[in-house]
Amino acid sequence: MSAVSAVPVATIKFYLRENLLAAGERSAPNQADYGPDHLSRLRLIRSLIDVGGLAVADARRVLEAIDSDLPLQQTFDIAQRAVSEQIQPTDVSTVALDRIDAELSGWLVSAGNPGRLAAARVMDSCTAVGQRDARGWLNRYAQAALLVAEADLDEIEALSDRAAQAQTVVVGTVLGDALFSGLRRAAQEHVSALRFSPTATAHHQNPHDTCP
Amino acid sequence: MSAVSAVPVATIKFYLRENLLAAGERSAPNQADYGPDHLSRLRLIRSLIDVGGLAVADARRVLEAIDSDLPLQQTFDIAQRAVSEQIQPTDVSTVALDRIDAELSGWLVSAGNPGRLAAARVMDSCTAVGQRDARGWLNRYAQAALLVAEADLDEIEALSDRAAQAQTVVVGTVLGDALFSGLRRAAQEHVSALRFSPTATAHHQNPHDTCP
């Protein structure tokens, strides 16, 4: 399996020991056979840990959720907790929580949603460093987050079987953060180039660019 | 300063040793005076490290950029590199880079932008786990990233002096990731509640909610 997947044997053994990956069919004393399901599970583990940055215990938790019969909303919850730092309601100010709740007015969000607390903590941090919320900064972030969440759910609803949907919930939640922050850096460079040096030629113009 | 800032003395000493914070005026053999600039710098360091998750070396680098006379675009670049994993062009496939470049067609993005490479790596990962790009998933992420970048730049342009702008570039880049991923989790819960259980009552309805 190492040869096909380009994953080192030691890494595969580690995943087996950590119960992330099921053991193969033993075909000889020192040899085990792995099928296509094993290979795709191996690739999923690599994505979650290497690209998504999940800890082994969190990866195990989301893999169990994929294999379970849990409703999708619970799978979402497990995936969200796996990618979120543990923040307690006592770690954030009431002012910041009120600010976030006012922004998410009308959203169906539980009080313990890890993102609600994380966003409130950022607000506290902004206040501490004197960062103002100018020109609707927070509101525009919330609107963009809604667009991304709609895209995530559309992606899930495009699939018909439960197992594929659950995997998409996990992969989308875990890799979506990395994708968005990457695109955000590209967009920042683009928008700041437009505003600060519109005639810049040092920039790599996209080869597919059809704009003047 | 520890009493005013609620930062432990040992942490402040650590920041001093690591040259993140300048030494105060010595007022007695074992006593130093710190002014309001020290306090605000201390709060900034806390935000970057504790909430933004920066390593000490990266925090030092972005603080130097704030204190420098570098053009804002270079400050952006330093802030982006501080929050981005080091990915080499050889770490991602040409297919994935082409996919991202096609998506960012018309954007002024340099070939070495860390976000471009990070986004391409996510694409490789999606391909490896058989994740499809259904219903314009990638494109919608890119559009949302553009909205966020516009909000970031508007926030910066609302300020008049260079030092405040540079600080906002850094704070916005570092904390913006945490803010967005938090709001995204709240939005995911909201949208999935609407779609999967529109009559759910277990959800905490926002107290500020004025919708029916």
Side-chain angles (χ1 to χ4, degrees):
Chain A
M1 187 152 71
S2 176
V4 183
S5 63
V7 177
V9 173
T11 305
I12 295 177
K13 286 191 174 166
F14 172 73
Y15 293 161
L16 288 164
R17 270 200 316 276
E18 291 286 338
N19 289 320
L20 296 175
L21 199 61
E25 286 288 317
R26 198 157 290 278
S27 54
N30 252 323
Q31 186 77 37
D33 274 349
Y34 295 94
D37 285 357
H38 271 95
L39 190 61
S40 70
R41 177 54 56 104
L42 177 61
R43 288 185 171 137
L44 179 60
I45 297 167
R46 289 289 273 187
S47 293
L48 298 175
I49 292 179
D50 292 0
V51 180
L54 288 201
V56 167
D58 289 323
R60 192 185 300 117
R61 214 163 285 138
V62 298
L63 291 169
E64 283 169 3
I66 290 176
D67 296 335
S68 74
D69 284 324
L70 289 174
L72 283 182
Q73 269 187 291
Q74 257 173 281
T75 306
F76 249 125
D77 191 57
I78 291 166
Q80 292 201 340
R81 283 174 202 285
V83 290
S84 304
E85 212 186 320
Q86 281 262 356
I87 302 175
Q88 304 302 325
T90 48
D91 293 337
V92 295
S93 74
T94 316
V95 173
L97 272 177
D98 286 350
R99 179 82 191 79
I100 293 299
D101 285 343
E103 197 59 58
L104 309 185
S105 171
W107 291 22
L108 296 163
V109 176
S110 55
N113 181 293
R116 172 177 174 260
L117 297 171
R121 199 169 61 142
V122 171
M123 284 296 108
D124 273 333
S125 219
C126 285
T127 305
V129 302
Q131 190 78 12
R132 295 183 313 155
D133 172 18
R135 303 189 183 174
W137 189 62
L138 176 60
N139 180 263
R140 292 159 79 182
Y141 266 63
Q143 294 310 314
L146 211 45
L147 291 181
V148 161
E150 297 277 1
D152 287 337
L153 269 293
D154 280 351
E155 172 102 349
I156 292 157
E157 292 200 313
L159 298 164
S160 47
D161 76 299
R162 196 259 159 216
Q165 286 188 327
Q167 178 172 318
T168 298
V169 163
V170 167
V171 170
T173 301
V174 176
L175 296 188
D177 279 354
L179 177 62
F180 186 84
S181 65
L183 293 172
R184 177 180 175 234
R185 306 210 200 308
Q188 279 182 336
E189 184 181 347
H190 169 58
V191 178
S192 74
L194 284 183
R195 297 198 187 188
F196 299 138
S197 51
T199 56
T201 53
H203 282 82
H204 156 85
Q205 192 72 18
N206 196 300
H208 302 266
D209 190 0
T210 52
C211 299
Chain B
M1 186 151 72
S2 175
V4 182
S5 63
V7 177
V9 172
T11 304
I12 296 177
K13 285 191 174 167
F14 172 73
Y15 293 161
L16 288 165
R17 269 201 314 278
E18 291 287 338
N19 289 320
L20 296 174
L21 200 61
E25 286 287 318
R26 198 157 290 279
S27 55
N30 253 323
Q31 186 78 38
D33 274 349
Y34 294 95
D37 284 357
H38 272 96
L39 190 61
S40 69
R41 177 54 57 103
L42 176 61
R43 288 184 172 136
L44 179 60
I45 298 166
R46 288 289 273 188
S47 293
L48 298 175
I49 292 179
D50 292 0
V51 180
L54 288 202
V56 167
D58 289 323
R60 192 185 301 117
R61 215 163 284 138
V62 298
L63 291 170
E64 283 169 3
I66 291 176
D67 296 335
S68 72
D69 284 324
L70 289 173
L72 283 181
Q73 270 188 290
Q74 256 173 281
T75 306
F76 249 124
D77 190 57
I78 291 166
Q80 292 201 340
R81 282 173 202 284
V83 291
S84 303
E85 211 187 319
Q86 280 262 357
I87 302 175
Q88 303 303 324
T90 49
D91 294 338
V92 294
S93 75
T94 316
V95 173
L97 272 178
D98 285 349
R99 179 82 193 78
I100 293 299
D101 285 342
E103 198 58 60
L104 309 186
S105 171
W107 291 22
L108 297 164
V109 176
S110 55
N113 182 293
R116 171 177 174 260
L117 296 171
R121 199 169 63 143
V122 171
M123 284 298 108
D124 274 332
S125 220
C126 285
T127 305
V129 302
Q131 190 78 13
R132 295 183 314 155
D133 172 19
R135 302 189 183 173
W137 189 61
L138 175 60
N139 180 262
R140 292 158 79 183
Y141 266 63
Q143 294 310 313
L146 210 46
L147 290 181
V148 160
E150 297 276 1
D152 287 337
L153 269 292
D154 280 351
E155 172 102 350
I156 291 157
E157 292 200 313
L159 299 165
S160 48
D161 75 299
R162 195 258 159 218
Q165 286 188 327
Q167 177 171 321
T168 298
V169 163
V170 167
V171 170
T173 300
V174 176
L175 296 188
D177 279 355
L179 177 63
F180 187 85
S181 65
L183 293 172
R184 178 180 174 231
R185 307 207 200 309
Q188 279 182 335
E189 185 180 348
H190 169 59
V191 177
S192 74
L194 285 182
R195 297 197 186 189
F196 298 139
S197 51
T199 57
T201 53
H203 283 82
H204 156 84
Q205 192 73 17
N206 196 301
H208 302 266
D209 189 2
T210 52
C211 300

